[in-house]
Amino acid sequence: MSANPEPIEEVAAAVAEGDRRAMARTITWLESTRGDLAARGQAVLEQLVPKTGGAVRVGVTGPPGVGKSTFIEAMGLGLIAAGHRVAVLAVDPSSPVTGGSILGDKTRMERLTQDPAAFIRPSPSGGSLGGVAQRTREAMLVCEAAGYDVVLVETVGIGQSEVTVASMVDFFLVLLLPGGGDELQGIKRGVMELADALVVNKADGDTRKAAERTRGEYASALELIRPTSHAWKPRALMASALEGKGIDAVREAIFEHRRALQEAGEFEPRRRHQARAWMWSLLEEDLHRAFREDPKVAAAIPDLEAEVEALRLTPGAAVRRLMQAFRP
Ligand code: GDP
């Protein structure tokens, strides 16, 4: 960092022109644990916020090895060929600070990385899922302000992160392997219910037949799930990311979904709901932190916890006392 950082306005203007270095710098500031840098990032973001919201936001999840990065690269290149600009972000709360993030490996998505119409950013590392997701949401806004009209958010399909990613995108894509039920693939039913499309990948070579069968099984399973929208029935598709087959159908589904929701008047309300929910989840985190950091609360917690554990005090009574300490 230079001693004389550029004015916020200049950085914001550069981002708005699609300058990838300015984008990367802004996102780095937003991810920074240094208060002054984070504040710079927020200041840039505040200037950019009227320019955000213009992208099709797509979440991509699936078990490790299913072919997420191969698929994202194939679809990303297809989108760019069709005239789009594509940003790829990731939510990977499991990645250690030592840099094991899912997009950290530079050899992944090599062709997409080199394409001037693509912007690829690995997951912010370390911290809670909430913190990682917060920074990815902000990075998404930066990409939108820079004119990227498709944002793909990747997450590994193991745990809570899928639900978080689904809450920040318009279209949620679940990639699956041929053969093996959802338990086998570690995909929880709750995640299936969030999917706008299920794609059985690796529908090629020896696994093609199994992919067809698996697709059929998932198509039947989807019949039993109540869709999250009146305007869209989730689809079960099949693809070979390696051979570039079936990718166009997924891309078409994404844009069809958008048109259908817009025509049904569901699109804008959903975006508004997501923005509001994001605000409240941030507020909850801030309040929680402020509460725990309050000296009177912090001092009272150990005793009250011990009392609750020893069954001498109900949890409800302990909470009342903590609230009194916080807000006398
Ligand atoms: P990720 O962990 O989900 O990101 O999966 P990768 O994209 O890294 O792919 C894992 C492995 O599966 C790699 O060896 C890929 O070459 C391979 N792979 C990805 N897509 C396909 C596909 O459509 N067909 C076949 N046969 N292999 C694939």
Side-chain angles (χ1 to χ4, degrees):
M1 286 303 143
S2 62
N4 263 327
E6 300 136 90
I8 301 296
E9 290 73 21
E10 276 177 28
V11 179
V15 171
E17 278 168 19
D19 179 334
R20 291 200 286 181
R21 281 185 50 209
M23 291 168 69
R25 185 172 317 149
T26 304
I27 295 170
T28 301
W29 285 340
L30 287 164
E31 289 175 357
S32 178
T33 49
R34 248 181 65 185
D36 57 329
L37 294 180
R40 289 186 69 75
Q42 292 297 333
V44 175
L45 195 58
E46 269 170 45
Q47 298 218 342
L48 294 173
V49 79
K51 298 189 171 72
T52 63
V56 178
R57 302 168 176 175
V58 181
V60 181
T61 192
V66 69
K68 288 180 294 302
S69 58
T70 311
F71 185 91
I72 288 171
E73 169 152 274
M75 193 163 73
L77 291 169
L79 284 160
I80 288 169
H84 295 282
R85 290 175 69 206
V86 179
V88 183
L89 308 172
V91 171
D92 181 15
S94 63
S95 72
V97 189
T98 47
S101 65
I102 48 178
L103 286 171
D105 182 354
K106 290 285 178 211
T107 60
R108 298 177 88 221
M109 301 187 229
E110 213 165 333
R111 286 173 62 206
L112 196 59
T113 308
Q114 282 163 18
D115 198 300
F119 179 81
I120 299 181
R121 180 86 187 182
S123 176
S125 56
S128 64
L129 171 58
V132 170
Q134 155 75 353
R135 298 195 292 273
T136 302
R137 279 180 207 265
E138 289 173 344
M140 178 159 78
L141 299 182
V142 171
C143 294
E144 288 183 343
Y148 285 80
D149 62 347
V150 180
V151 179
L152 305 173
V153 185
E154 176 184 2
T155 194
V156 182
I158 36 162
Q160 259 304 110
S161 62
E162 302 99 308
V163 179
T164 305
V165 168
S167 77
M168 66 172 90
V169 297
D170 307 318
F171 191 94
F172 192 60
L173 194 64
V174 178
L175 295 184
L176 296 158
L177 290 162
D182 359 323
E183 294 85 21
L184 225 117
Q185 306 204 13
I187 301 289
K188 300 198 181 65
R189 189 181 164 79
V191 173
M192 301 274 298
E193 288 173 356
L194 295 170
D196 294 300
L198 298 172
V199 179
V200 182
N201 191 34
K202 308 200 182 185
D204 50 46
D206 291 347
T207 43
R208 192 189 154 85
K209 280 268 177 310
E212 275 171 22
R213 206 166 44 240
T214 309
R215 194 209 69 81
E217 285 163 13
Y218 279 112
S220 312
L222 283 177
E223 292 293 330
L224 305 173
I225 290 174
R226 199 158 53 92
T228 55
S229 158
H230 297 297
W232 183 257
K233 208 167 158 296
R235 293 180 186 172
L237 303 166
M238 202 165 73
S240 167
L242 204 61
E243 296 181 354
K245 288 187 189 138
I247 313 284
D248 288 355
V250 179
R251 191 172 88 212
E252 278 157 27
I254 292 167
F255 288 101
E256 233 180 273
H257 169 269
R258 170 136 176 163
R259 275 195 301 278
L261 262 68
Q262 271 170 334
E263 278 164 22
E266 286 184 22
F267 185 78
E268 291 302 329
R270 195 186 267 205
R271 281 276 182 97
R272 284 200 295 271
H273 170 79
Q274 287 178 340
R276 219 167 43 235
W278 178 13
M279 183 188 94
W280 278 101
S281 78
L282 284 183
L283 184 62
E284 275 163 30
E285 274 174 36
D286 271 11
L287 275 176
H288 193 251
R289 196 175 318 116
F291 185 81
R292 280 193 164 267
E293 284 172 0
D294 181 274
K296 290 207 193 82
V297 170
I301 284 176
D303 281 352
L304 289 172
E305 273 184 346
E307 293 283 293
V308 168
E309 283 174 16
L311 305 180
R312 282 193 295 270
L313 193 65
T314 67
V319 166
R320 278 194 295 281
R321 287 193 205 174
L322 285 171
M323 285 307 290
Q324 262 164 17
F326 186 59
R327 214 179 41 184

